[in-house]
Amino acid sequence: EDDDDDEDFDEEFDGLGIMSDMTRSAVKKAKRKKRGDADSAKGSTVYFYRFETFGKVADKDWVVALPDGERVLGCATGREWGAVITSRRLLRLFTTAGIQGPVIWIPGEPVTVVGRGRFVAVVYHRSLSPMQDGTQLLGYSLIDGINGNTIAAGELSSISPGASLTWAGFTDVCALSVMDSDGMLSMLARSPSSDNCSSDTMGHWIPMLDTVGLKKSTSDSFWPVEVYGGKLVCVPLRGGKEYPDPVRRPVTTTLPLRIPMAKGLTVKSGPLDEVSVRGNIALNQQKVLNDYLCNLGEADADALEEEYVQMSAQVDKITLKLFMQIVRTGKVERALDLIQRLHLEQSYDIAIQAADRVGHRKLSDRIEE
């Protein structure tokens, strides 16, 4: 295209012989810059391709043009929605059929946008200047991608000192997760409300996996794909590579999540303590998702409750194993504290019987209280 413009330029001034080669080159560059400025003044064009439709195939895809000067910086899609973040610090939501939804201001310069199910999350800069040690200052907004309601928002406090964000995504139960440049994977843990069909909008970030100890050398890293079934699905990168080879199909591996717990010196509980803590966190996130779907009327409350009871029994089983280990060592106060993690009445009965069998009647009485 530039060559064609140069030929037009040469024809325009051909025969005048009044410009030096240097002047001619400068004018050509100015002309190209003017054309580039004109192009950048136009807004981005968003193309949406749908794989399925119950209408005409010719009508399933759609295209929209953003206002002049507004550029798309990132995009995401989920169930029945699509979204883009733009240079004007806007989150624009669309239905999969192309109906424009809410246009939402982003509190800071956007970093990335991710989605799963009904949910879209935007990560943004709280400050363009990092902390003195280089740590990025970021915030997040968790939004319903269909109705545009803000579900949770706050500081993305899960960045290690001196590190920056390298990945963001959702778990299989739609819990927002991030990884930083130090290889720390963290998750936004939200707590279910006492109300059966609602959950609070607050949450806190919990480290779910430190990949530093899993590297074979300091130059190795892991390219996250998703968090599913209590594992990080990722592509191992060796020799300082920053991303998988785009030419070859990447080989993925799974890393089990493991919260970096402190090592007990007086009482050794083994891996059960970490599994119990992580199991309760996972159970809470499933409850949060169930409550939200219940509140929207998108799921059968009775079916969700039955599923939740089954999951609670599995998590309680792990906690009871840990409880019995501690009771055998005679650490009755520690065992009583652990009871707070149980969910089902049947689990409390089992704990009482276990304490009675080993002669800790005071412990069983405390549990009954």
Side-chain angles (χ1 to χ4, degrees):
E1 184 178 349
D2 290 342
D3 292 340
D4 294 340
D5 289 342
D6 290 346
E7 291 177 3
D8 294 340
F9 177 88
D10 291 336
E11 291 176 1
E12 183 178 353
F13 290 94
D14 188 30
L16 295 180
I18 58 175
M19 286 190 292
S20 66
D21 290 340
M22 183 176 293
T23 303
R24 184 182 294 267
S25 175
V27 174
K28 287 180 180 179
K29 289 180 179 178
K31 186 178 180 182
R32 290 170 185 162
K33 184 178 185 301
K34 183 177 180 180
R35 186 183 66 250
D37 291 343
D39 291 341
S40 63
K42 298 178 182 178
S44 295
T45 302
V46 179
Y47 297 84
F48 193 93
Y49 177 88
R50 285 193 293 167
F51 294 103
E52 297 179 352
T53 179
F54 65 86
K56 295 180 180 179
V57 175
D59 297 334
K60 69 181 180 67
D61 307 327
W62 49 268
V63 183
V64 295
L66 300 189
D68 289 349
E70 186 173 353
R71 296 176 293 107
V72 171
L73 302 180
C75 62
T77 187
R79 183 170 59 85
E80 300 180 2
W81 62 267
V84 295
I85 52 175
T86 75
S87 57
R88 294 185 64 186
R89 286 184 27 225
L90 294 176
L91 170 67
R92 293 182 175 271
L93 296 172
F94 305 86
T95 69
T96 52
I99 300 298
Q100 297 193 47
V103 181
I104 302 171
W105 281 108
I106 301 172
E109 292 296 323
V111 176
T112 189
V113 58
V114 295
R116 184 163 188 156
R118 286 188 65 107
F119 308 105
V120 55
V122 178
V123 178
Y124 56 87
H125 287 284
R126 291 192 292 116
S127 172
L128 294 179
S129 300
M131 298 176 65
Q132 292 184 349
D133 62 1
T135 307
Q136 275 188 319
L137 294 173
L138 304 176
Y140 75 92
S141 294
L142 179 61
I143 297 169
D144 188 309
I146 296 178
N147 58 35
N149 292 337
T150 297
I151 300 169
E155 298 180 5
L156 204 159
S157 56
S158 56
I159 304 298
S160 303
S164 57
L165 180 70
T166 57
W167 176 83
F170 285 93
T171 70
D172 49 335
V173 293
C174 297
L176 181 60
S177 301
V178 298
M179 178 178 277
D180 64 24
S181 54
D182 274 2
M184 180 68 77
L185 176 71
S186 302
M187 183 181 73
L188 179 64
R190 299 174 58 225
S191 300
S193 171
S194 57
D195 185 353
N196 289 335
C197 288
S198 64
S199 294
D200 63 17
T201 58
M202 303 300 293
H204 45 270
W205 291 94
I206 295 179
M208 299 301 293
L209 178 65
D210 188 355
T211 64
V212 171
L214 303 177
K215 299 177 182 179
K216 294 184 178 180
S217 70
T218 56
S219 61
D220 292 346
S221 62
F222 299 95
W223 179 276
V225 177
E226 66 171 342
V227 179
Y228 187 88
K231 297 178 181 179
L232 172 65
V233 182
C234 58
V235 179
L237 300 178
R238 310 297 184 196
K241 292 182 179 179
E242 297 182 356
Y243 49 82
D245 187 345
V247 178
R248 300 179 180 178
R249 183 175 182 177
V251 179
T252 61
T253 187
T254 57
L255 304 176
L257 301 185
R258 183 181 295 274
I259 299 174
M261 306 281 285
K263 184 178 180 180
L265 300 179
T266 54
V267 177
K268 296 181 180 181
S269 56
L272 280 180
D273 196 8
E274 187 275 335
V275 176
S276 174
V277 171
R278 182 160 44 84
N280 277 274
I281 294 173
L283 187 63
N284 281 342
Q285 304 323 297
Q286 183 67 61
K287 179 65 173 174
V288 168
L289 178 60
N290 290 352
D291 288 350
Y292 193 79
L293 296 178
C294 167
N295 194 36
L296 293 171
E298 291 195 351
D300 185 346
D302 293 336
L304 291 179
E305 182 62 24
E306 182 179 351
E307 178 187 2
Y308 177 75
V309 169
Q310 293 176 356
M311 294 181 62
S312 297
Q314 295 176 0
V315 174
D316 282 1
K317 183 177 180 180
I318 297 171
T319 302
L320 286 170
K321 286 183 178 180
L322 180 60
F323 172 82
M324 292 175 184
Q325 284 186 3
I326 295 175
V327 167
R328 293 190 187 99
T329 64
K331 306 289 185 181
V332 292
E333 292 182 341
R334 185 182 293 260
L336 182 63
D337 290 345
L338 193 61
I339 291 299
Q340 300 176 15
R341 295 184 189 174
L342 297 177
H343 301 85
L344 304 180
E345 189 68 30
Q346 181 181 2
S347 301
Y348 282 92
D349 294 339
I350 294 174
I352 292 172
Q353 295 172 8
D356 283 339
R357 277 200 304 269
V358 293
H360 292 299
R361 185 60 184 270
K362 289 184 179 181
L363 174 60
S364 60
D365 291 342
R366 288 292 186 93
I367 297 174
E368 285 184 307
E369 294 176 0

